[in-house]
mmCIF file of all heavy atoms in Angstrom:
data_model
loop_
_atom_site.group_PDB
_atom_site.id
_atom_site.type_symbol
_atom_site.label_atom_id
_atom_site.label_comp_id
_atom_site.label_asym_id
_atom_site.label_seq_id
_atom_site.Cartn_x
_atom_site.Cartn_y
_atom_site.Cartn_z
ATOM 1 N N PHE A 14 83.751 113.893 95.162
ATOM 2 C CA PHE A 14 82.884 115.219 95.381
ATOM 3 C C PHE A 14 82.740 115.474 96.832
ATOM 4 O O PHE A 14 82.629 114.617 97.605
ATOM 5 C CB PHE A 14 81.537 115.081 94.606
ATOM 6 C CG PHE A 14 81.687 115.227 93.131
ATOM 7 C CD1 PHE A 14 81.688 114.142 92.313
ATOM 8 C CD2 PHE A 14 81.872 116.525 92.500
ATOM 9 C CE1 PHE A 14 81.750 114.247 90.861
ATOM 10 C CE2 PHE A 14 81.913 116.713 91.210
ATOM 11 C CZ PHE A 14 81.952 115.556 90.327
ATOM 12 N N LYS A 15 82.543 116.718 97.176
ATOM 13 C CA LYS A 15 82.301 117.090 98.566
ATOM 14 C C LYS A 15 81.180 116.303 99.133
ATOM 15 O O LYS A 15 80.071 116.139 98.349
ATOM 16 C CB LYS A 15 82.050 118.677 98.693
ATOM 17 C CG LYS A 15 81.638 119.182 100.001
ATOM 18 C CD LYS A 15 81.323 120.583 99.871
ATOM 19 C CE LYS A 15 80.764 121.173 101.224
ATOM 20 N NZ LYS A 15 80.421 122.689 101.039
ATOM 21 N N GLY A 16 81.354 115.801 100.373
ATOM 22 C CA GLY A 16 80.318 115.043 101.058
ATOM 23 C C GLY A 16 80.400 113.565 100.769
ATOM 24 O O GLY A 16 79.713 112.726 101.483
ATOM 25 N N ALA A 17 81.149 113.179 99.755
ATOM 26 C CA ALA A 17 81.296 111.745 99.451
ATOM 27 C C ALA A 17 82.287 111.082 100.415
ATOM 28 O O ALA A 17 83.209 111.719 100.889
ATOM 29 C CB ALA A 17 81.578 111.579 98.045
ATOM 30 N N PRO A 18 82.247 109.782 100.617
ATOM 31 C CA PRO A 18 83.200 109.117 101.323
ATOM 32 C C PRO A 18 84.521 108.969 100.583
ATOM 33 O O PRO A 18 84.514 108.983 99.374
ATOM 34 C CB PRO A 18 82.453 107.783 101.691
ATOM 35 C CG PRO A 18 81.668 107.501 100.569
ATOM 36 C CD PRO A 18 81.190 108.874 100.121
ATOM 37 N N VAL A 19 85.651 108.880 101.298
ATOM 38 C CA VAL A 19 86.914 108.818 100.578
ATOM 39 C C VAL A 19 87.634 107.816 101.386
ATOM 40 O O VAL A 19 87.704 107.783 102.585
ATOM 41 C CB VAL A 19 87.550 110.103 100.584
ATOM 42 C CG1 VAL A 19 87.876 110.763 101.954
ATOM 43 C CG2 VAL A 19 88.880 110.101 99.737
ATOM 44 N N GLU A 20 88.459 107.004 100.667
ATOM 45 C CA GLU A 20 89.402 105.966 101.190
ATOM 46 C C GLU A 20 90.568 106.085 100.458
ATOM 47 O O GLU A 20 90.599 105.923 99.298
ATOM 48 C CB GLU A 20 88.743 104.614 101.131
ATOM 49 C CG GLU A 20 89.688 103.614 101.716
ATOM 50 C CD GLU A 20 89.135 102.145 101.765
ATOM 51 O OE1 GLU A 20 88.977 101.585 100.626
ATOM 52 O OE2 GLU A 20 88.786 101.587 102.798
ATOM 53 N N LEU A 21 91.735 106.347 101.156
ATOM 54 C CA LEU A 21 93.074 106.354 100.494
ATOM 55 C C LEU A 21 93.701 105.119 100.922
ATOM 56 O O LEU A 21 93.996 104.866 102.150
ATOM 57 C CB LEU A 21 93.983 107.482 100.931
ATOM 58 C CG LEU A 21 93.426 108.860 100.434
ATOM 59 C CD1 LEU A 21 92.379 109.507 101.229
ATOM 60 C CD2 LEU A 21 94.589 109.906 100.298
ATOM 61 N N LYS A 22 94.208 104.299 99.966
ATOM 62 C CA LYS A 22 94.767 102.901 100.362
ATOM 63 C C LYS A 22 96.224 103.010 100.567
ATOM 64 O O LYS A 22 97.054 103.740 99.934
ATOM 65 C CB LYS A 22 94.433 102.098 99.100
ATOM 66 C CG LYS A 22 92.913 101.680 98.910
ATOM 67 C CD LYS A 22 92.690 100.757 97.783
ATOM 68 C CE LYS A 22 91.237 100.188 97.853
ATOM 69 N NZ LYS A 22 90.336 101.210 97.824
ATOM 70 N N CYS A 23 96.653 102.162 101.522
ATOM 71 C CA CYS A 23 98.056 101.997 101.838
ATOM 72 C C CYS A 23 98.284 100.462 102.219
ATOM 73 O O CYS A 23 97.491 99.978 103.108
ATOM 74 C CB CYS A 23 98.362 102.912 102.972
ATOM 75 S SG CYS A 23 100.036 102.557 103.638
ATOM 76 N N ASN A 24 99.319 99.974 101.609
ATOM 77 C CA ASN A 24 99.748 98.607 102.013
ATOM 78 C C ASN A 24 101.151 98.553 102.311
ATOM 79 O O ASN A 24 101.922 99.333 101.780
ATOM 80 C CB ASN A 24 99.348 97.582 100.908
ATOM 81 C CG ASN A 24 97.925 97.247 100.707
ATOM 82 O OD1 ASN A 24 97.262 98.033 99.910
ATOM 83 N ND2 ASN A 24 97.370 96.396 101.434
ATOM 84 N N TYR A 25 101.402 97.828 103.320
ATOM 85 C CA TYR A 25 103.003 97.732 103.750
ATOM 86 C C TYR A 25 103.414 96.177 103.605
ATOM 87 O O TYR A 25 102.615 95.290 103.654
ATOM 88 C CB TYR A 25 103.039 98.317 104.999
ATOM 89 C CG TYR A 25 102.362 97.498 106.184
ATOM 90 C CD1 TYR A 25 103.014 96.575 106.937
ATOM 91 C CD2 TYR A 25 101.057 97.721 106.566
ATOM 92 C CE1 TYR A 25 102.303 95.785 107.855
ATOM 93 C CE2 TYR A 25 100.451 97.131 107.480
ATOM 94 C CZ TYR A 25 101.039 96.117 108.231
ATOM 95 O OH TYR A 25 100.310 95.566 109.143
ATOM 96 N N SER A 26 104.696 96.087 103.409
ATOM 97 C CA SER A 26 105.175 94.817 103.358
ATOM 98 C C SER A 26 106.200 94.654 104.504
ATOM 99 O O SER A 26 107.444 95.100 104.509
ATOM 100 C CB SER A 26 105.935 94.621 101.994
ATOM 101 O OG SER A 26 107.024 95.451 101.875
ATOM 102 N N TYR A 27 105.762 94.189 105.580
ATOM 103 C CA TYR A 27 106.611 93.843 106.688
ATOM 104 C C TYR A 27 105.968 92.905 107.684
ATOM 105 O O TYR A 27 104.833 93.161 107.956
ATOM 106 C CB TYR A 27 106.852 95.112 107.414
ATOM 107 C CG TYR A 27 107.728 95.100 108.641
ATOM 108 C CD1 TYR A 27 109.113 94.574 108.375
ATOM 109 C CD2 TYR A 27 107.274 95.273 109.980
ATOM 110 C CE1 TYR A 27 109.945 94.440 109.513
ATOM 111 C CE2 TYR A 27 108.156 95.085 111.023
ATOM 112 C CZ TYR A 27 109.541 94.714 110.845
ATOM 113 O OH TYR A 27 110.225 94.576 111.827
ATOM 114 N N SER A 28 106.604 91.830 107.956
ATOM 115 C CA SER A 28 106.001 90.779 108.870
ATOM 116 C C SER A 28 105.853 90.993 110.301
ATOM 117 O O SER A 28 105.256 90.399 111.002
ATOM 118 C CB SER A 28 106.768 89.539 108.537
ATOM 119 O OG SER A 28 108.089 89.516 108.937
#
Side-chain angles (χ1 to χ4, degrees):
Chain A
F14 285 99
K15 176 183 175 180
V19 63
E20 180 179 71
L21 292 86
K22 292 183 169 54
C23 172
N24 290 90
Y25 62 93
S26 62
Y27 182 65
S28 59

